[in-house]
Amino acid sequence: SSVFSGFGAISFAFVCQSSSFILYRSLKDGERTIPVWKRVSNISLGISYVMTLVMAVSGYLSFGNAVQGDIVNNFSKHGFVATVARMFLSIAMLLTYPMEMVVARHTFDSSLFKRMLGMGEPSFIRHALVTTLVWSATTITALSVANLGIVLEIVGAFSSSILGYVLPPVMYLKAHKEH
């Protein structure tokens, strides 16, 4: 079970790199260079690495091998430490969710409306509709599941494995048919 959950979480994290393309395109025209992108990436990854390392080491030192996938579930529901941990997790979600929402909305809109239905750029109504649909689906999922570690394991093990390990070589072979 721990191998399955670890593989799912790592695969899910690996697949999250999809947002890098959209983030690169969000740089201003004059700043869309390799040195600027390297600096932005290194600073972002450095901050993420430090924050993840602090959380992982703190969790392991506090709970040992009994640490759960969602570390907040290890804390009591009413303690000061739990409140602080939930506050930091909330801040992280508030800062992360909009970026992933942009990626999800862009992918959904491009796949369904542009490619399948042949429609052009989104109108305000379509943009608002897709945003509301993606937000509602994720909010309902978050409110329905008490332990999001299970969601990460399932999504990571199935869809992320295909996206991260199967589709890249297939796309490479398709792009380089002549070789």
Side-chain angles (χ1 to χ4, degrees), residues 14 161-176:
F14 179 71
S161 297
I162 292 169
L163 288 171
Y165 303 118
V166 176
L167 289 180
V170 169
M171 289 188 287
Y172 178 83
L173 291 173
K174 180 129 176 109
H176 296 86

Side-chain angles (χ1 to χ4, degrees), residues 55-73:
M55 187 61 114
V57 170
S58 299
Y60 185 75
L61 292 176
S62 298
F63 306 108
N65 290 336
V67 69
Q68 296 181 26
D70 184 354
I71 195 169
V72 178
N73 289 342

Side-chain angles (χ1 to χ4, degrees), residues 67-141:
V67 69
Q68 296 181 26
D70 184 354
I71 195 169
V72 178
N73 289 342
N74 285 92
F75 294 106
S76 71
K77 294 186 178 189
H78 304 291
F80 174 75
V81 174
T83 303
V84 171
R86 286 184 181 91
M87 181 185 69
F88 282 130
L89 183 61
S90 298
I91 291 169
M93 291 297 110
L94 284 172
L95 297 174
T96 303
Y97 188 76
M99 281 188 358
E100 296 307 322
M101 180 76 166
V102 167
V103 173
R105 181 182 56 222
H106 175 77
T107 303
F108 184 77
D109 186 70
S110 294
S111 300
L112 179 65
F113 291 106
K114 290 182 183 172
R115 288 200 181 106
M116 293 175 73
L117 301 176
M119 299 171 83
E121 291 300 313
S123 65
F124 177 77
I125 300 291
R126 188 169 96 198
H127 179 84
L129 179 70
V130 172
T131 301
T132 304
L133 181 71
V134 172
W135 180 83
S136 298
T138 56
T139 301
I140 289 168
T141 302

